[in-house]
């Protein structure tokens, strides 16, 4: 590998007592150049799909309410036809675990494709860079504009760019908060000044976070703030797809005229045009080898392929390849680590799907009244309970209630309960037993709640029936 990643001597000049050594390197602003190509088109299509999903889903309705709605005050989470309750949070943990293993699998197989194509930080940054190009021009025009003194024209361009950035940030923030507070009402209230303070705070927060991250911080987020960037490099193996320059083909780099016999001059295919550096959103030179800053976006591949086409050289001087390929060895597509991640991923998806389809759509919570027991007019021992019946479905249901566990156990009051879709119904219940039929002073009993129309949908909750001390004969 030493022939692929050149090592530069960065030892600081000799240090003498009393000298101060400045280890801080200020950020160099990156001016990316516009480009076209296959991978740019893939990213564009992927970005449009993700944008439509993010900005569009929030406006869809399902079953009389917003299709995807995290209703925090009522602790109900709607995802199209399914309603999730806090008790279902184990499923959310399952989704996070499946997503993590999906990411591990993709990373081992295809490197940083998540970062380059689908990470919101990248997608929004590409959109912001497009706004920059529309308002301030391409790379060279922007460099010139930044070095020019302030003028009406410069101010107008900068003003329009920041206005567009803020507008996208505001739309992003409003949409995000709209997943927690119905978007139609929120939008009207926001623009008429009637939204509550927290809505303004969170929309403002996400507007500024989007504006700051995609407009100003950009590659700094990927290089210094993203934890995934830190640990994914340990997941790479020599068969992981990486974006790489082929030094065996490219070196010795240097300018030349088209259609000259450059091999006779001792040159390789790289014409040293630096286009691959100019399009890189993290500002690195991929010809220096694999670097932690590389987000695998393939912009340099597109740029270099364009150059290769112009020079009538074969494409692929920079390409998606593997370390094994680069060193002339065979790439192993199926390997133990990849198979292990795929197996765990499939098992987790299976478990999650089963848990989702078999989750109960009825919930029953029982709490016993503080009063231990009382004796009624007929001389029977009575216990009082408070039942919370949850209809987790999106349609109304009628349930039938039974109590079991003691001979002669009588349930007084309502046995049939109609609960509207997604509602919780609180029901006081009294149970009574003749004192001579109680085997002990504390007995386990069960409440059984079943759907009146579908007896296979039922739930059971245990409690205790308390009575006076029972004398043994
Ligand atoms: S774009 Fe290709 S030819 Fe130009 S400097 Fe980069 S690697 Fe060399
Ligand atoms: S080196 Fe190439 S793939 Fe890596 S971030 Fe830069 S342009 Fe994207």
């Amino acid at each position: 590998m030493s022939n692929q990643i050149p090592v530069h001597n960065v030892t600081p000049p000799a240090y003498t007592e009393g000298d101060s050594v400045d280890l801080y390197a200020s950020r160099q602003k990156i001016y990316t150049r516009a480009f076209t190509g296959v991978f740019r088109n893939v990213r564009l299509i992927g970005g449009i799909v993700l944008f439509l999903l993010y900005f569009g889903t929030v406006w869809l309705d399902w079953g009389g309410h917003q299709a995807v709605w995290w209703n925090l005050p009522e602790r109900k989470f709607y995802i199209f036809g399914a309603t999730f309750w806090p008790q279902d949070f184990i499923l959310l943990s399952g989704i996070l675990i499946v997503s993590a293993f999906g990411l591990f699998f993709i990373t081992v197989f295809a490197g940083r494709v998540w970062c380059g194509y689908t990470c919101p930080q990248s997608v929004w940054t590409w959109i912001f860079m497009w706004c920059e190009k529309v308002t301030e021009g391409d790379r060279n025009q922007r460099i010139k504009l930044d070095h020019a003194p302030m003028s009406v024209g410069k101010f107008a361009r900068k003003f329009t760019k920041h206005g567009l950035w803020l507008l996208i940030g505001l739309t992003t923030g409003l949409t995000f908060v709209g997943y927690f507070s119905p978007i139609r009402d929120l939008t009207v209230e926001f623009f008429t000044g009637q939204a509550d303070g927290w809505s303004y705070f969170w929309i403002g927060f996400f507007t500024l976070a989007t504006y700051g991250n995609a407009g100003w911080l950009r590659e700094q987020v990927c290089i210094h703030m993203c934890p995934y960037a830190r640990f994914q490099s340990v997941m790479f193996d020599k068969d992981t797809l990486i974006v790489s320059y082929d030094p065996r083909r490219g070196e010795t780099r240097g300018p030349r005229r088209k259609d000259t016999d450059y091999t006779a001059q001792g040159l390789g295919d790289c014409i040293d045009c630096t286009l691959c550096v100019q399009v890189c959103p993290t500002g690195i030179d991929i010809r220096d080898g694999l670097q932690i800053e590389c987000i695998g976006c393939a912009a340099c591949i597109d740029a270099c392929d364009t150059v290769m086409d112009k020079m009538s050289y074969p494409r692929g001087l920079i390409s998606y390849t593997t370390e094994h390929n680069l060193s002339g060895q065979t790439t192993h597509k199926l390997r133990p680590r990849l198979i292990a991640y795929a197996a765990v991923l499939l098992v987790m998806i299976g478990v999650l799907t089963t848990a989702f389809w078999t989750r109960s759509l009825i919930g029953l919570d029982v709490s016993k009244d503080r009063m231990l027991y009382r004796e009624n007019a007929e001389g029977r021992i009575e216990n009082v309970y408070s039942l919370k019946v949850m209809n987790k479905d999106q349609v109304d249901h009628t349930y039938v209630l039974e109590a079991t566990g003691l001979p002669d156990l009588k349930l007084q009051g309502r046995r049939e309960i109609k609960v509207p879709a997604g509602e919780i119904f609180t029901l006081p219940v009294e149970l009574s037993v003749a004192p001579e039929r109680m085997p002990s002073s504390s007995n386990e009993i069960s409440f059984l709640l079943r759907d009146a129309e579908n007896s296979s949908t039922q739930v059971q909750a245990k409690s205790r029936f308390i009575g006076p001390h029972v004398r043994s004969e």
Side-chain angles (χ1 to χ4, degrees):
M1 288 306 299
S2 58
N3 62 336
Q4 289 168 17
I5 305 177
V7 176
H8 303 289
N9 184 356
V10 292
T11 311
Y15 173 79
T16 48
E17 196 73 33
D19 278 358
S20 72
V21 179
D22 191 2
L23 298 177
Y24 176 77
S26 58
R27 178 194 177 204
Q28 299 295 316
K29 186 172 176 184
I30 296 169
Y31 295 90
T32 51
R33 189 189 185 108
F35 62 97
T36 56
V38 176
F39 296 107
R40 177 257 195 192
N41 292 344
V42 170
R43 185 172 33 255
L44 190 65
I45 293 166
I48 290 171
V49 171
L50 289 173
F51 255 54
L52 286 179
L53 278 177
Y54 176 73
F55 289 111
T57 308
V58 76
W59 291 94
L60 299 178
D61 283 341
W62 190 288
H65 52 75
Q66 193 167 297
V68 180
W69 177 20
W70 295 77
N71 185 348
L72 291 178
E74 293 185 22
R75 297 191 179 88
K76 284 187 268 185
F77 310 110
Y78 300 102
I79 301 180
F80 293 95
T83 308
F84 295 92
W85 298 67
Q87 296 90 328
D88 298 320
F89 257 60
I90 187 78
L91 288 174
L92 185 64
S93 320
I95 291 172
L96 292 177
I97 293 170
V98 166
S99 308
F101 273 97
L103 204 54
F104 296 163
F105 175 78
I106 292 285
T107 304
V108 173
F109 178 67
R112 295 184 71 171
V113 283
W114 160 262
C115 303
Y117 293 84
T118 47
C119 172
Q121 174 64 26
S122 296
V123 175
W124 262 256
T125 298
W126 289 110
I127 298 290
F128 274 47
M129 289 196 308
W130 176 80
C131 294
E132 209 165 45
K133 181 174 167 264
V134 169
T135 51
E136 296 183 351
D138 203 0
R139 182 174 190 270
N140 292 342
Q141 291 164 298
R142 293 204 304 276
I143 295 173
K144 210 168 143 191
L145 187 73
D146 275 1
H147 288 95
M150 184 53 78
S151 64
V152 176
K154 179 172 176 174
F155 179 79
R157 283 172 184 275
K158 294 274 175 199
F159 184 80
T160 314
K161 177 182 84 172
H162 289 287
L164 274 177
W165 282 3
L166 280 168
L167 193 63
I168 296 171
L170 176 64
T171 316
T172 306
L174 189 63
T175 303
F176 189 81
V177 177
Y179 281 102
F180 296 84
S181 174
I183 188 82
R184 286 181 171 78
D185 295 342
L186 179 70
T187 308
V188 173
E189 287 164 7
F190 180 81
F191 288 109
T192 53
Q194 291 169 336
D196 62 82
W198 281 114
S199 298
Y200 283 110
F201 171 79
W202 285 116
I203 292 170
F205 176 82
F206 288 112
T207 301
L208 290 179
T210 310
Y211 172 77
N213 283 343
W216 292 92
L217 292 175
R218 296 193 173 174
E219 81 288 349
Q220 304 291 301
V221 176
C222 310
I223 298 170
H224 302 296
M225 294 159 73
C226 177
Y228 175 54
R230 296 282 134 193
F231 74 73
Q232 66 184 324
S233 50
V234 298
M235 303 174 70
F236 281 23
D237 59 26
K238 289 181 187 294
D239 296 302
T240 300
L241 276 183
I242 48 171
V243 173
S244 188
Y245 165 76
D246 184 352
R248 289 175 305 175
R249 191 184 136 189
E251 300 298 316
T252 304
R253 64 186 80 161
R256 81 286 311 267
R257 293 172 67 86
K258 193 181 172 189
D259 299 327
T260 52
D261 183 6
Y262 59 97
T263 50
Q265 301 168 37
L267 294 172
D269 279 358
C270 175
I271 66 168
D272 207 14
C273 62
T274 70
L275 271 189
C276 51
V277 183
Q278 293 177 34
V279 296
C280 178
T282 63
I284 59 168
D285 188 341
I286 193 65
R287 295 173 300 171
D288 292 343
L290 184 61
Q291 294 148 74
I292 195 168
E293 292 89 345
C294 175
I295 59 168
C297 69
C300 51
I301 299 182
D302 280 336
C304 191
D305 279 348
T306 313
V307 176
M308 294 295 109
D309 288 350
K310 281 195 186 134
M311 298 299 289
S312 304
Y313 299 167
R315 287 180 163 207
L317 177 57
I318 302 176
S319 65
Y320 274 115
T321 184
T322 65
E323 278 191 52
H324 269 151
N325 254 0
L326 282 174
S327 57
Q329 293 171 275
T330 311
T331 296
H332 306 97
K333 286 210 171 62
L334 289 179
R335 45 208 199 268
R337 193 194 297 201
L338 195 62
I339 295 169
Y341 280 132
V344 175
L345 185 61
L346 287 177
V347 169
M348 291 304 301
I349 290 173
V351 170
L352 190 64
T353 311
T354 311
F356 177 76
W357 287 114
T358 56
R359 85 202 157 99
S360 174
L361 292 177
I362 316 179
L364 178 63
D365 274 349
V366 178
S367 53
K368 193 179 173 312
D369 194 88
R370 277 196 205 157
M371 180 187 61
L372 288 180
Y373 65 91
R374 69 184 175 210
E375 198 175 322
N376 68 11
E378 298 161 20
R380 293 172 68 84
I381 303 300
E382 266 186 7
N383 278 206
V384 180
Y385 304 85
S386 175
L387 270 56
K388 276 195 168 51
V389 178
M390 283 166 263
N391 177 2
K392 299 187 194 172
D393 207 350
Q394 298 211 353
V395 289
D396 300 354
H397 280 280
T398 301
Y399 303 112
V400 179
L401 183 67
E402 289 169 24
T404 56
L406 282 174
D408 185 45
L409 187 65
K410 263 195 201 160
L411 191 152
Q412 285 144 276
R414 290 174 61 180
R415 284 166 183 266
E416 280 210 346
I417 313 131
K418 184 164 183 183
V419 187
E423 296 289 326
I424 299 176
F425 190 86
T426 305
L427 178 72
V429 168
E430 287 164 7
L431 297 182
S432 71
V433 176
E436 64 278 10
R437 306 293 298 271
M438 286 186 59
S440 97
S441 57
S442 174
N443 307 275
E444 186 178 288
I445 53 150
S446 294
F447 288 96
L448 180 75
L449 190 73
R450 63 182 162 78
D451 194 320
E453 286 164 14
N454 177 10
S455 58
S456 64
T457 307
Q458 53 178 251
V459 66
Q460 199 172 28
K462 292 194 187 313
S463 187
R464 300 210 71 81
F465 189 94
I466 309 291
H469 184 65
V470 178
R471 272 200 214 134
S472 49
E473 297 287 313

